[in-house]
């Protein structure tokens, strides 16, 4: 048997090494191709439509007595002039109470939806919707509409991918399921709760026109309440306040168990436009405050 020379052995070794590199390159080529096809840069709301957003509908399934029993909790936010208002469509009331919306949360939601981000394809099968919890009965739905009610974007968000940290979603225009950044999750945790979307301040920003920084230093209220006192009941306390912009507020306060129920009434200032005046005058919500907050509020009026 003819023995190989050292030079021939080295050549064979390099040739074998080159074959291995070529095989590895072929093995990874489909993966790279698949990766490029399964992701794209997009926005959940077309940035060109941001200025057209005049309504936002947010629905979320809520478990009842068991995981199999679910109801949909829905809030609708709508813009009137410069003022954002909200109603709880799932309250069961024929005429739901109107409350001032938290402008910071509304602006944050729209900005997050309009942000360009990379999304990753999870499935192209409609039959997989249940697995990702993006079906109509399981998903948290966020719909952006214009002033005429035309849909600008409608999104169905499902469960979180524990490995990637992203959340599954699909749009109303496609059956594909994608993963998007978990930064949207902050708007989906209790997303259909009126108390999350309502202005948190006892003196709402749409009335006072205070900056967020100034409002953050003032008193906040508790949960919104879908209750009305009996007609014969008179409020235990009534406070009135004038604001620097000419707006007026009247607070009728009823003691209930260990808390207090506040029913405010607002009169917009003279500089408000007609649309804003109508919006502020339509606010008729009520909320609870704790005894400690009531004492602080009472002290504010006693010092005036």
């Amino acid at each position: 048997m003819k023995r190989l020379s050292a030079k021939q052995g080295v050549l064979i070794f390099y040739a074998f090494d080159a074959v291995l590199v070529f095989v590895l390159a072929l093995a990874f080529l489909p993966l790279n191709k698949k990766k490029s096809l399964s992701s794209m840069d997009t926005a959940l709301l077309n940035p060109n439509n941001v200025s057209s957003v005049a309504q936002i509908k947010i629905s979320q399934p809520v478990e009842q007595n068991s995981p199999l029993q679910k109801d949909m909790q829905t809030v609708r936010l709508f813009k009137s002039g410069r003022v954002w208002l909200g109603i709880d469509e799932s309250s069961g009331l024929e005429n739901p109470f109107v409350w001032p919306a938290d402008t910071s949360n509304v602006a944050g939601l729209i900005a997050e939806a309009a942000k360009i981000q990379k999304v990753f394809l999870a499935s192209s099968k409609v039959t997989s919707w249940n697995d990702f919890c993006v079906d109509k009965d399981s998903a948290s739905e966020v719909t952006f509409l214009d002033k005429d009610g035309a849909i600008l974007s409608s999104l169905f968000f499902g469960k979180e991918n524990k490995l990637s940290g992203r959340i599954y979603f699909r749009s109303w225009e496609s059956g594909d399921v994608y993963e998007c950044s978990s930064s949207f999750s902050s708007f989906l945790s209790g997303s259909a709760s009126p108390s999350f979307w309502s202005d948190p301040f006892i003196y709402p920003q749409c009335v006072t026109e205070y900056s967020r920084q100034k409002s953050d230093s003032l008193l906040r209220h508790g949960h919104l309440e879908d209750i009305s006192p009996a007609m014969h009941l008179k409020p235990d306390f009534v406070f009135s306040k004038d604001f620097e912009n000419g707006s007026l507020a009247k607070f009728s306060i009823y003691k209930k168990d260990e808390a207090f129920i506040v029913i405010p009434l607002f009169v917009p200032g003279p500089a408000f436009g007609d649309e804003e005046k109508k919006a502020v005058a339509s606010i008729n919500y009520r909320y609870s405050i704790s005894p400690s907050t009531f004492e602080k509020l009472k002290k504010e009026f006693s010092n005036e």
Side-chain angles (χ1 to χ4, degrees), residues 7-23:
K7 185 176 181 180
Q8 289 174 323
V10 170
L11 290 175
I12 291 175
F13 174 78
Y14 279 122
F16 181 71
D17 201 31
V19 171
L20 284 178
V21 171
F22 180 70
V23 170

Side-chain angles (χ1 to χ4, degrees), residues 38 119-135 156 158-159 167-171 174-180:
S38 62
V119 299
F120 301 85
L121 180 65
S123 175
S124 296
K125 298 179 180 179
V126 173
T127 54
S128 69
W129 286 6
N130 287 358
D131 297 331
F132 298 109
C133 296
V134 295
D135 56 292
F156 298 83
K159 63 184 181 181
I167 54 176
Y168 297 108
F169 80 96
R170 66 178 175 88
S171 77
S174 170
D176 295 341
V177 180
Y178 288 88
E179 293 180 30
C180 69

Side-chain angles (χ1 to χ4, degrees), residues 61-237:
V62 180
E63 290 185 5
Q64 298 302 307
N65 297 327
S66 74
L68 298 178
Q69 293 180 303
K70 292 183 179 180
D71 284 338
M72 277 291 174
Q73 186 174 31
T74 301
V75 298
R76 184 181 292 274
L77 310 174
F78 52 97
K79 191 177 183 182
S80 184
R82 296 179 294 109
V83 176
W84 277 95
L85 303 173
I87 60 172
D88 178 6
E89 291 192 343
S90 54
S91 65
L93 300 176
E94 185 176 347
N95 297 301
F97 295 121
V98 179
W99 31 268
D102 186 334
T103 54
S104 179
N105 278 346
V106 173
L109 173 67
I110 295 174
E112 186 63 37
K115 183 174 68 178
I116 303 296
Q117 61 170 299
K118 188 176 291 293
V119 299
F120 301 85
L121 180 65
S123 175
S124 296
K125 298 179 180 179
V126 173
T127 54
S128 69
W129 286 6
N130 287 358
D131 297 331
F132 298 109
C133 296
V134 295
D135 56 292
K136 187 73 174 178
D137 295 330
S138 304
S140 294
E141 181 181 353
V142 180
T143 301
F144 299 92
L145 309 99
D146 65 15
K147 63 180 181 179
D148 297 319
I151 294 177
L152 301 174
S153 177
S154 188
L155 307 156
F156 298 83
F157 295 92
K159 63 184 181 181
E160 179 183 340
N161 183 333
K162 299 297 183 181
L163 295 177
S164 67
R166 296 185 289 265
I167 54 176
Y168 297 108
F169 80 96
R170 66 178 175 88
S171 77
W172 87 112
E173 293 180 314
S174 170
D176 295 341
V177 180
Y178 288 88
E179 293 180 30
C180 69
S181 169
S182 61
S183 58
F184 212 94
S185 298
S186 60
F187 299 103
L188 300 177
S189 178
S191 64
S193 166
S195 295
F196 176 84
W197 289 105
S198 67
D199 182 295
F201 308 111
I202 289 180
Y203 309 143
Q205 284 184 279
C206 68
V207 175
T208 64
E209 297 184 293
Y210 291 160
S211 67
R212 185 71 183 201
Q213 183 178 10
K214 181 172 182 177
S215 291
D216 279 333
S217 67
L218 303 176
L219 293 175
R220 295 174 176 244
H221 60 70
H223 286 283
L224 303 192
E225 303 285 351
D226 288 332
I227 58 175
S228 295
M231 293 294 293
H232 68 277
L233 288 180
K234 293 184 178 181
D236 296 292
F237 303 90

